[in-house]
Amino acid sequence: MVADGVEDEEKWLSAGMAGLQQNAFYMHRALDSNNLKDALKYSAQMLSELRTSKLSPHKYYVLYMKAFDELRKLEIFFRDTISLGFSIVELYELVQHAGNILPRLYLLCTVGSVYIKTKEAPAKDILKDLVEMCRGIQHPLRGLFLRSYLSQVSRDKLPDIGSEYEGDADTVMDAVEFVLQNFTEMNKLWVRMQHQGPVSEKGKREKERNELRDLIGKNLHVLSQIEGVDLDMYKEVVLPRVLEQVVNCKDDLAQYYLMDCIIQVFPDEYHLQSLETLLSVCPQLQPSVDVKTVLSRLMDRLSSYAASGVEVLPEFFQVEAFMKLNNAIRKVTEAQADMPMVGVVSLYASLLTFCLQVHPDRLDYVDQILSSCVNELSVREGLDDSKATRQIIALLSAPLEKYKDIDTVLNLANYRCIMEYLNDSMRKEMANIIIQNIMNNKKTISTADKVDALFELIKGLIKDSGVETPDEPEDEFKEEQNSVARLIQMLHSDNHEEMLNIINTVRNHVLMGGAKRLPYTIPPLIFSSLKLARRLEGQDQSVTGEDVSVTPKKIFQIVTQTIDALASIPVPGLALGLYLQCAEAADDCDLEPVAYEFFTQAYILYEEEITDSRAQVTSIHLIIGTLQRTHAFGVENRDALTHKATGYSAKLLKKPDQCRAVYACSHLFWIDDHDNVRDGERVLLCLKRALRIANSVQQMANATRGSSGTASVVLFVEILNKYLYFYEKGVPQITVESIQDLIKLITNELRGDNIKSDAVADAFFSSTLRYIQFQKDKGGAISDKYKLIVL
Amino acid sequence: MNYIIGAFKPACHVTVTFSDEKSRKKVALKKEDGQTVMVPLFRSLETISGRVSVEPVLGKKVEHNGIKMELLGQIEMYLDRGNFYDFTSLVRELDIAGEIYERKTFPFEFSNVEMPYETYNGLNVRLRYVLKVTINRGYGGSVVQYQDFVVHNYTPTPTINSSIKMEVGIEDCLHIEFEYNKSKYHLKDIILGKIYFLLVRIKIKNMDLEIRRRESTGSGSSTHVETETLAKFELMDGTPVRGESIPIRLFLSPYELTPTYQNINNKFSVKYFLNLVLVDEEDRRYFKQQEITLYRLADSARQGETL
């Protein structure tokens, strides 16, 4: 059925074309033989093809264009005829003898344009006559094309300023009047199209009308091109008249298109100066008109105008552009109660962009916009729409991007209120954006209040909402939490008390995060606390009376409580590490009991929670390392701790691990810069024990696999290195003989028949030997010692 | 134009020549046989003068009982068995009985002839003026020669010429108001006006303005009326909406119109009407007819009207 329609149309078009071409042929003949009468006759017949009602606008246009081309030839002929002395007045009458109105008016317009060129009559009179006579075509499609033809042929003949047709009698006003009238009539026809024909074809008509809209819009373009239309005339005449037509036509398609057209066609400063008029129309448009897009485009245009240079900004202030726009938006949203949320939000987003561009210093404006937005959000539904989401995120991101400073944004009271209306995923996204922004701008946040506000904003990332989000990708979650962790690092105040407040604030927020988040968020918090503690220690002497509230002790209390929170989640490894960090920091602060307590906590964790042998190995090395560095402990405490640590070491499951842990323990007994810790006996004890374990590793290997693994050899070499280290340090219990025995032992092992040569062990051993050689050759006290070793 | 051949009477040639033959304006006249000839144009109370020349064929002598010339104003009614009514008849004796041997010319003159009616060629009636030369011969029949001429009478511009304004309509269907700028138009006039649509509930396809001529012949019960449409001029294409006003501008010059004739010699009348016709999409016609008066204005009295 539809296909038939298209086919038929094709047929009609080609029939029309054929008729047109045939008559055009006769017309050409008449033109060639200078026969005016025939020329008129055949041109009228040719134009009669345009009387068809069977074509869609698209096809009709094809026909029209063909006729248009032919009429150009006719126009040239008319001009020649006139120049040969024929009276233009007579010609103007002659064409009006045609009985059919459509051909008559096309011819009249053609002759009219020649008439204006002759300047025998004022252009304005002719134009007025033409535009008036065109009323005879009330058929929308034909009328639109006829008037479009009129507009086309008259374009270069308007009595504009500076135009050759600007006679005494012709003012710009006449040109404007002419275009306005033609525009008005065209728009009426265009709108009427919608209401003619069966209801069932409404959609089709709408489509067809859309194809035609540029014919109408062109008039506005012509208006904007008229030199004489200055700001005053635009404000006083052009805009009011155009808007009157826009409002009165009561057609959504036309209103939307024309408003957009006005905004795009006329210069920015005109819009600015006539803002009130333009905006006052918006609430009067049909409810179905997409006012938000119109307004958004207007604001976008003005924004980019404002961005074009600071010298234009005073204009904006002078006309109070912001207030006007704000009012307009309010009215529009009031008038259109069922406007979708996305529309409302995008309106405010555009306004915000505008405001930031024009009034970057007026935070109150920004807040005002946000507050209006909050009001809207509270009464409307539908924020779940993904488009609305995008818009609201754009809205919230705009101030961040503009100010590049979270401080400023935190001052916007309503910013948070908007966040309240977001759903979880949006809140998260927004929080990410905020954090990203802070990171990019590298600005620290330095008061607890702000931190509090900030964490309120990003709470989407900080704590679980009531509703479970089932399948959130692990990676994403990690990424998010890592950024929160980074954010915590950005919080800094030079004032200790404030810093403590910040830490407390963050802690309060972070602790609500639940088991999943704590492993990510607690470490940075702890480190930042410890940093503060160390800073306090560094300037202990200068602590004055009023600063007393902040003491390292207090911080450590907080820290302890914080780490305790980790206990509820099984991440003992992390907790242990943190305790050790704390212990070290406490040690730095010379708080022996505190440090001891931390170690105790760490040991308890080790004993009770860490069961995995691998984790045990890691943990024990951490413990040993940390313990080795401490210096605040008294002998008893130290003994207790080191004893425990060596005990743990010897109880590791795998022998090599045992061996390594034990020889590591040796360091606990001999610390260079620590006079109290110089216990060579126990060092030797540890190393010997390590050797024993290494031996048993070798035997076990022999027993189970029939050949000694290379693992034990590596262990021997490692122990040798320890020997050398302590030998170098001057531990008296480490003798040259024991070293030489060890070297011999290793050499034998490596050469033994039942050992496959092992590159790693070989290399390790030979580089150790090279080291000894190197020390021998170096000279000096150490060298002398080494020289005692015989390889 | 200065000779008319009596082809079936080879006895002699009779030719009528007007004295101001060269300078006088001539107009086209359609003859009964369908041919168009150019004939001189006169007005009432003009003097019609000239000469008649009689030339015998091949040296034959023409005997006659006298030669006379008549100026006849005739009305011919086709429906009345083609009868003529002479409303004007003037006679001039040109020659007494005698013989003509060679070409001989006779001057004639009708001074200040009253010719109140215009030449008219209608559907059922014809009004004509003719000069009739008769050479009376007792036997062999008389030689009769006709010479047509045309009479146009000018009317001064009417002093009262009000516009025609009227509101018409079909209840709840169509209401229009139309206006023609005058009620009396000269033959080269332009009809200006507009149609204002007050209510449109029908789908109008187009609107035409027609010029119709109503010719009534006879009188009383035997009156015969015939109407013909002389012009059909499209005013509007498509369906207007309420509040639209459509301009009218119709040039009368291209059409073959005559002035309005009111009861010419009690024989016939010619009236003109403007007929406004609206056609809807089902091809129903809605129309309103208004009489207008046409008159002939002297060319010199016409202003150069542009639009």
Side-chain angles (χ1 to χ4, degrees):
Chain A
M1 181 86 190
V2 175
D4 275 2
V6 173
E7 224 167 78
D8 283 351
E9 226 190 287
E10 234 14 283
K11 226 159 54 195
W12 286 321
L13 175 62
S14 52
M17 276 303 231
L20 198 148
Q21 258 154 345
Q22 193 188 3
N23 284 304
F25 171 75
Y26 289 126
M27 184 187 87
H28 290 166
R29 273 229 303 235
L31 299 186
D32 291 343
S33 57
N34 224 352
N35 186 338
L36 178 62
K37 204 172 144 232
D38 277 3
L40 291 180
K41 178 177 154 196
Y42 289 114
S43 56
Q45 279 181 22
M46 170 185 86
L47 290 165
S48 288
E49 295 297 340
L50 289 175
R51 298 173 72 205
T52 177
S53 298
K54 289 175 175 157
L55 298 178
S56 68
H58 192 71
K59 297 273 190 295
Y60 191 85
Y61 177 75
V62 177
L63 205 58
Y64 165 83
M65 279 318 289
K66 180 74 191 150
F68 184 87
D69 291 344
E70 297 299 338
L71 283 173
R72 296 281 62 72
K73 293 169 194 159
L74 190 63
E75 187 184 339
I76 293 167
F77 171 73
F78 284 159
R79 233 179 289 157
D80 293 347
T81 311
I82 299 307
S83 67
L84 291 173
F86 197 87
S87 155
I88 180 70
V89 179
E90 212 166 303
L91 187 60
Y92 196 71
E93 178 184 327
L94 217 48
V95 293
Q96 295 186 65
H97 292 176
N100 281 322
I101 184 159
L102 193 69
R104 178 165 77 233
L105 291 177
Y106 270 105
L107 289 175
L108 190 66
C109 291
T110 313
V111 177
S113 92
V114 177
Y115 200 171
I116 297 175
K117 275 206 148 155
T118 65
K119 296 182 195 158
E120 283 186 30
K124 72 162 181 181
D125 291 345
I126 300 165
L127 290 174
K128 203 171 167 193
D129 187 54
L130 292 175
V131 80
E132 194 59 36
M133 290 313 282
C134 284
R135 283 176 184 278
I137 306 298
Q138 292 288 323
H139 185 275
L141 186 62
R142 297 195 281 272
L144 276 175
F145 276 96
L146 172 69
R147 286 184 178 275
S148 158
Y149 178 73
L150 171 61
S151 155
Q152 190 86 14
V153 296
S154 63
R155 263 185 101 154
D156 52 347
K157 301 175 185 75
L158 299 175
D160 188 10
I161 286 179
S163 135
E164 53 177 316
Y165 307 103
E166 181 204 5
D168 291 337
D170 301 339
T171 60
V172 185
M173 205 50 225
D174 296 314
V176 171
E177 197 61 42
F178 166 74
V179 182
L180 276 175
Q181 195 179 345
N182 205 31
F183 159 73
T184 308
E185 292 301 326
M186 280 176 91
N187 190 45
K188 280 189 198 162
L189 290 172
W190 188 43
V191 171
R192 204 186 292 167
M193 247 179 128
Q194 190 65 51
H195 307 293
Q196 292 180 351
V199 182
S200 57
E201 290 178 2
K202 190 163 173 286
K204 184 179 153 223
R205 277 200 301 275
E206 222 155 77
K207 189 176 144 276
E208 292 182 348
R209 286 188 59 205
N210 241 327
E211 292 173 354
L212 290 169
R213 61 183 197 177
D214 286 348
L215 295 181
I216 295 94
K218 210 171 229 166
N219 285 299
L220 295 179
H221 186 244
V222 172
L223 275 176
S224 74
Q225 300 289 307
I226 297 179
E227 282 291 315
V229 176
D230 54 9
L231 182 57
D232 280 341
M233 187 177 287
Y234 177 75
K235 267 167 79 176
E236 302 299 326
V237 183
V238 176
L239 185 63
R241 289 276 299 275
V242 173
L243 289 180
E244 186 193 350
Q245 177 58 29
V246 170
V247 172
N248 289 344
C249 76
K250 293 194 171 32
D251 177 83
D252 47 356
L253 190 67
Q255 288 184 335
Y256 173 69
Y257 172 71
L258 292 177
M259 285 303 280
D260 195 34
C261 232
I262 294 172
I263 291 167
Q264 303 305 330
V265 151
F266 291 104
D268 299 316
E269 59 262 44
Y270 284 18
H271 292 317
L272 198 53
Q273 297 298 332
S274 62
L275 206 51
E276 204 154 7
T277 324
L278 192 58
L279 293 174
S280 67
V281 165
C282 291
Q284 299 176 54
L285 301 179
Q286 298 298 99
S288 49
V289 173
D290 187 3
V291 185
K292 61 168 193 324
T293 313
V294 171
L295 277 176
S296 299
R297 294 217 184 162
L298 176 62
M299 288 185 279
D300 293 348
R301 252 206 98 156
L302 291 178
S303 300
S304 46
Y305 179 51
S308 68
V310 283
E311 67 278 1
V312 299
L313 286 183
E315 283 182 48
F316 284 88
F317 303 148
Q318 189 206 330
V319 300
E320 293 179 315
F322 173 76
M323 289 320 239
K324 286 176 182 167
L325 286 169
N326 196 19
N327 283 337
I329 291 174
R330 215 189 51 239
K331 280 187 193 138
V332 166
T333 49
E334 274 168 13
Q336 301 195 7
D338 53 351
M339 186 193 279
M341 198 61 225
V342 53
V344 180
V345 178
S346 60
L347 269 182
Y348 282 111
S350 295
L351 180 62
L352 188 63
T353 318
F354 172 81
C355 178
L356 293 173
Q357 193 63 255
V358 180
H359 304 282
D361 50 335
R362 296 298 297 264
L363 268 182
D364 53 332
Y365 283 176
V366 177
D367 204 38
Q368 202 178 327
I369 296 169
L370 295 175
S371 132
S372 319
C373 201
V374 170
N375 287 337
E376 290 299 333
L377 285 164
S378 63
V379 296
R380 280 171 208 262
E381 301 270 311
L383 194 52
D384 299 330
D385 172 22
S386 69
K387 282 186 195 153
T389 312
R390 295 257 68 77
Q391 282 299 331
I392 211 153
I393 285 176
L395 174 81
L396 291 174
S397 306
L400 286 172
E401 276 158 23
K402 176 69 186 179
Y403 294 115
K404 301 198 184 312
D405 182 5
I406 189 72
D407 275 9
T408 319
V409 175
L410 290 176
N411 284 331
L412 301 169
N414 284 298
Y415 199 88
R416 221 186 70 203
C417 301
I418 293 189
M419 298 276 285
E420 294 292 330
Y421 288 94
L422 305 185
N423 64 25
D424 291 340
S425 65
M426 285 162 66
R427 232 179 260 178
K428 268 188 199 161
E429 184 170 350
M430 203 52 232
N432 269 325
I433 291 174
I434 292 173
I435 294 174
Q436 216 55 57
N437 189 273
I438 297 173
M439 294 299 165
N440 291 342
N441 297 324
K442 298 195 171 58
K443 272 217 167 173
T444 55
I445 296 147
S446 56
T447 72
D449 290 346
K450 283 180 191 163
V451 171
D452 193 37
L454 175 62
F455 273 78
E456 262 320 303
L457 282 186
I458 61 165
K459 67 183 170 190
L461 293 180
I462 302 300
K463 57 180 173 188
D464 281 325
S465 57
V467 193
E468 273 301 309
T469 42
D471 32 49
E472 190 184 20
E474 189 67 19
D475 287 353
E476 209 169 280
F477 177 76
K478 259 189 198 164
E479 192 52 47
E480 283 167 9
Q481 293 308 314
N482 280 334
S483 51
V484 174
R486 280 202 293 275
L487 175 67
I488 294 174
Q489 300 291 345
M490 296 297 291
L491 313 175
H492 177 82
S493 169
D494 287 334
N495 181 314
H496 304 315
E497 207 164 336
E498 193 57 48
M499 189 62 203
L500 184 64
N501 285 337
I502 291 175
I503 290 170
N504 270 324
T505 313
V506 175
R507 185 172 166 267
N508 288 338
H509 283 284
V510 159
L511 285 183
M512 290 185 286
K516 264 169 83 188
R517 292 189 180 78
L518 287 179
Y520 293 95
T521 48
I522 283 192
L525 179 61
I526 300 294
F527 279 109
S528 129
S529 310
L530 295 181
K531 216 194 272 176
L532 177 61
R534 286 203 170 92
R535 239 168 51 206
L536 286 169
E537 174 62 21
Q539 50 173 34
D540 236 358
Q541 295 86 344
S542 66
V543 168
T544 47
E546 64 258 317
D547 225 354
V548 164
S549 59
V550 189
T551 61
K553 255 190 193 151
K554 199 163 180 180
I555 294 168
F556 285 121
Q557 281 165 16
I558 297 169
V559 166
T560 317
Q561 288 160 18
T562 315
I563 304 178
D564 282 348
L566 283 176
S568 56
I569 349 152
V571 279
L574 179 63
L576 182 130
L578 289 174
Y579 279 131
L580 291 176
Q581 285 289 344
C582 294
E584 198 182 343
D587 180 74
D588 286 345
C589 298
D590 277 327
L591 295 170
E592 187 186 349
V594 180
Y596 191 82
E597 175 59 22
F598 281 126
F599 266 110
T600 317
Q601 291 295 336
Y603 282 16
I604 291 170
L605 274 177
Y606 180 82
E607 285 174 5
E608 293 177 358
E609 305 283 344
I610 300 181
T611 46
D612 176 60
S613 62
R614 266 246 196 87
Q616 280 180 343
V617 173
T618 323
S619 304
I620 199 75
H621 280 285
L622 269 179
I623 291 173
I624 295 167
T626 314
L627 193 54
Q628 196 265 340
R629 279 199 295 278
T630 55
H631 48 76
F633 289 119
V635 180
E636 267 176 45
N637 282 341
R638 195 176 171 83
D639 270 357
L641 293 174
T642 45
H643 184 74
K644 256 311 191 208
T646 27
Y648 294 149
S649 306
K651 279 182 205 138
L652 287 172
L653 177 65
K654 290 188 199 156
K655 290 285 178 185
D657 290 341
Q658 266 181 26
C659 172
R660 288 194 175 101
V662 169
Y663 70 62
C665 282
S666 63
H667 287 287
L668 294 176
F669 304 106
W670 190 280
I671 297 166
D672 262 353
D673 52 358
H674 207 305
D675 292 341
N676 293 334
V677 191
R678 295 266 167 112
D679 192 342
E681 281 297 335
R682 298 187 62 176
V683 171
L684 189 62
L685 219 58
C686 284
L687 294 179
K688 283 197 168 153
R689 197 163 176 185
L691 272 177
R692 267 206 309 281
I693 300 166
N695 254 324
S696 63
V697 170
Q698 191 180 19
Q699 280 158 16
M700 276 166 66
N702 282 334
T704 51
R705 298 191 196 105
S707 68
S708 64
T710 56
S712 60
V713 184
V714 176
L715 283 176
F716 284 131
V717 182
E718 282 168 12
I719 295 166
L720 171 63
N721 275 292
K722 290 291 164 198
Y723 265 90
L724 287 173
Y725 171 79
F726 287 110
Y727 179 67
E728 226 175 84
K729 294 290 173 198
V731 178
Q733 282 77 2
I734 306 295
T735 59
V736 179
E737 291 75 33
S738 55
I739 293 173
Q740 266 174 322
D741 287 347
L742 195 50
I743 293 173
K744 202 185 284 168
L745 172 77
I746 296 167
T747 319
N748 287 338
E749 285 293 330
L750 284 174
R751 290 193 191 137
D753 299 330
N754 55 348
I755 289 180
K756 294 170 199 149
S757 68
D758 177 4
V760 178
D762 267 352
F764 191 11
F765 182 56
S766 53
S767 68
T768 309
L769 293 181
R770 263 207 311 283
Y771 173 74
I772 297 170
Q773 195 58 50
F774 167 73
Q775 288 293 7
K776 279 181 173 199
D777 299 346
K778 205 170 75 175
I782 301 282
S783 183
D784 290 344
K785 276 184 116 178
Y786 270 93
K787 281 184 181 145
L788 298 174
I789 303 170
V790 180
L791 294 175
Chain B
M1 227 61 50
N2 51 355
Y3 61 91
I4 285 170
I5 301 161
F8 53 93
K9 284 292 177 192
C12 62
H13 292 299
V14 180
T15 325
V16 180
T17 321
F18 295 96
S19 51
D20 49 1
E21 184 88 37
K22 293 219 164 59
S23 56
R24 181 159 293 275
K25 187 180 173 184
K26 297 189 183 64
V27 294
L29 179 71
K30 210 174 195 178
K31 305 229 342 179
E32 291 131 345
D33 56 8
Q35 280 183 332
T36 306
V37 292
M38 297 301 284
V39 296
L41 173 65
F42 288 92
R43 287 161 58 189
S44 185
L45 297 175
E46 270 190 315
T47 297
I48 300 168
S49 63
R51 284 175 302 175
V52 177
S53 80
V54 180
E55 190 176 2
V57 180
L58 295 170
K60 281 182 182 172
K61 68 167 188 182
V62 178
E63 282 175 53
H64 63 87
N65 300 332
I67 302 175
K68 67 174 179 184
M69 176 174 241
E70 291 162 287
L71 187 157
L72 299 174
Q74 300 177 318
I75 294 173
E76 183 185 358
M77 314 280 278
Y78 302 145
L79 295 173
D80 196 9
R81 294 176 303 280
N83 277 345
F84 291 101
Y85 301 95
D86 292 349
F87 57 87
T88 296
S89 178
L90 300 169
V91 186
R92 296 286 180 273
E93 293 294 342
L94 296 182
D95 200 2
I96 51 162
E99 293 174 347
I100 297 171
Y101 298 96
E102 55 186 2
R103 178 193 167 103
K104 192 174 180 190
T105 59
F106 310 94
F108 68 89
E109 181 180 293
F110 301 94
S111 335
N112 305 328
V113 191
E114 200 166 319
M115 296 178 287
Y117 311 129
E118 289 197 344
T119 306
Y120 174 72
N121 256 320
L123 287 172
N124 292 320
V125 62
R126 186 165 72 142
L127 188 150
R128 72 161 187 168
Y129 288 94
V130 69
L131 291 173
K132 182 179 179 188
V133 181
T134 314
I135 303 171
N136 264 324
R137 293 202 291 181
Y139 56 95
S142 302
V143 176
V144 180
Q145 180 67 36
Y146 295 97
Q147 167 63 51
D148 284 279
F149 65 96
V150 169
V151 172
H152 282 171
N153 284 324
Y154 300 123
T155 318
T157 314
T159 45
I160 299 170
N161 195 351
S162 53
S163 63
I164 298 173
K165 205 169 181 178
M166 188 168 266
E167 195 185 319
V168 290
I170 308 161
E171 200 164 339
D172 291 334
C173 185
L174 179 71
H175 275 275
I176 61 171
E177 192 183 285
F178 62 83
E179 182 180 352
Y180 307 127
N181 62 335
K182 300 177 194 170
S183 47
K184 296 167 184 160
Y185 294 93
H186 63 76
L187 297 181
K188 309 284 176 198
D189 216 341
I190 308 163
I191 299 175
L192 299 175
K194 60 175 49 171
I195 296 112
Y196 187 73
F197 285 84
L198 298 164
L199 176 79
V200 189
R201 292 247 175 91
I202 51 173
K203 285 181 177 156
I204 298 171
K205 202 162 66 179
N206 60 346
M207 175 167 71
D208 294 335
L209 188 62
E210 294 176 345
I211 301 176
R212 288 159 73 86
R213 174 155 77 192
R214 191 156 76 191
E215 182 186 289
S216 44
T217 48
S219 57
S221 58
S222 67
T223 306
H224 187 84
V225 176
E226 191 98 27
T227 306
E228 60 182 319
T229 302
L230 300 180
K232 188 163 181 268
F233 188 75
E234 194 181 14
L235 289 179
M236 184 184 75
D237 170 23
T239 312
V241 294
R242 193 163 64 90
E244 285 292 348
S245 84
I246 308 299
I248 305 172
R249 182 187 297 152
L250 172 57
F251 292 88
L252 295 180
S253 56
Y255 306 107
E256 287 179 25
L257 304 173
T258 69
T260 300
Y261 300 134
Q262 196 67 49
N263 197 18
I264 299 300
N265 207 34
N266 278 327
K267 289 283 184 286
F268 73 98
S269 297
V270 175
K271 287 182 173 179
Y272 284 92
F273 295 88
L274 285 181
N275 193 24
L276 186 68
V277 185
L278 291 104
V279 184
D280 73 7
E281 285 185 342
E282 272 100 46
D283 282 328
R284 280 188 293 256
R285 289 159 60 88
Y286 308 81
F287 57 89
K288 179 68 190 174
Q289 198 157 278
Q290 274 306 116
E291 188 180 351
I292 52 167
T293 307
L294 293 184
Y295 64 95
R296 193 183 298 281
L297 191 64
D299 286 357
S300 57
R302 268 174 59 207
Q303 307 287 316
E305 281 155 288
T306 50
L307 299 175

